[in-house]
Amino acid sequence: MFLLPDLSYEYDALGPYISSDIMELHHKKHHQAYVDKLNAALEGRSEFADWTVERLLSELSALPEELRTTVRNNAGGHYNHSLFWQWLSPNGGGQPGGELEQAIVARYGTFQEFVDNFTTQASGVFGSGWVWLQPNMDIITTPNQDSPLTTDGEAPLLGLDVWEHAYYLDYKNRRPEYIEAWWNIVNWDFVRERYEKSL
Ligand code: MN
């Protein structure tokens, strides 16, 4: 049984960048729905009882075909959102510092150039999807709830949800404003921790 993780901050902690209404709906309704559908899909499939969400996504092709799409969407949704909450912090924003910042600058020239590149890719996702920073410093996008564990074979360092459900209540159709606001609440401590573990 997969469970909805608690947030380490209150729903209203990320204002004015993301409202309490969005956070509550996104966590309690959207994320919960991925968890519920994943549990329902795997009910009675004891052969997968000890599989983690990471394993389900990394070894998606090993699953029976009739399970694959449901697991791709809902294990993906569960995994992506479980990380997404941790990538947000009321004390976030600024620059990452440390070896992570050095690696970003080595790849993109300046931190701002990285921000611009990530923002452009996030703005350009057609329909619903995500943009990610991978351990090799590539910026990639995925459609729907596809996880980099499936598409890239590597766990992401950082990711941004650009589904309309992530911003529409606050920003309507203005995705670029949501992305610009999001940089103010990025939890670089968590991203740095993931980078150091990936080395
Ligand atoms: Mn979402």
Side-chain angles (χ1 to χ4, degrees):
M1 278 287 280
F2 295 97
L3 295 172
L4 184 70
D6 289 331
L7 305 189
S8 64
Y9 43 79
E10 301 298 322
Y11 288 131
D12 65 2
L14 303 176
Y17 306 110
I18 302 179
S19 68
S20 182
D21 285 351
I22 283 195
M23 289 302 295
E24 185 168 354
L25 190 72
H26 200 174
H27 180 248
K28 269 196 204 161
K29 303 293 180 189
H30 290 278
H31 189 170
Q32 183 72 60
Y34 298 122
V35 170
D36 291 346
K37 287 177 187 164
L38 177 60
N39 286 330
L42 295 176
E43 203 181 334
R45 309 297 296 243
S46 56
E47 65 272 42
F48 303 114
D50 63 346
W51 284 41
T52 61
V53 70
E54 287 86 357
R55 185 172 175 199
L56 288 167
L57 291 167
S58 301
E59 300 180 32
L60 194 63
S61 57
L63 299 180
E65 201 177 339
E66 74 272 13
L67 273 182
R68 238 174 268 161
T69 301
T70 309
V71 170
R72 183 179 197 114
N73 290 336
N74 294 291
H78 178 39
Y79 175 83
N80 294 342
H81 287 85
S82 295
L83 287 167
F84 184 62
W85 312 127
Q86 299 177 75
W87 282 316
L88 304 176
S89 167
N91 307 311
Q95 295 188 202
E99 284 183 65
L100 171 60
E101 186 164 324
Q102 288 172 20
I104 288 173
V105 170
R107 174 65 176 272
Y108 293 96
T110 62
F111 180 71
Q112 188 58 47
E113 194 64 31
F114 158 74
V115 168
D116 293 347
N117 209 306
F118 193 98
T119 298
T120 300
Q121 295 224 38
S123 306
V125 171
F126 182 76
S128 299
W130 292 73
V131 57
W132 311 97
L133 174 65
Q134 293 299 102
N136 65 1
M137 296 296 126
D138 282 356
I139 297 168
I140 63 170
T141 66
T142 58
N144 306 315
Q145 292 299 349
D146 285 3
S147 166
L149 282 178
T150 308
T151 64
D152 193 52
E154 295 286 344
L157 301 181
L158 172 67
L160 173 60
D161 185 348
V162 294
W163 282 56
E164 279 189 347
H165 71 220
Y167 61 87
Y168 205 84
L169 278 182
D170 287 351
Y171 296 96
K172 303 291 186 288
N173 59 331
R174 301 186 302 276
R175 187 193 284 179
E177 287 179 32
Y178 158 67
I179 299 165
E180 195 185 333
W182 170 79
W183 289 109
N184 293 289
I185 44 174
V186 174
N187 181 3
W188 287 112
D189 291 344
F190 182 54
V191 183
R192 229 174 27 242
E193 205 177 285
R194 293 178 67 76
Y195 178 64
E196 282 154 19
K197 272 190 215 150
S198 79
L199 294 175

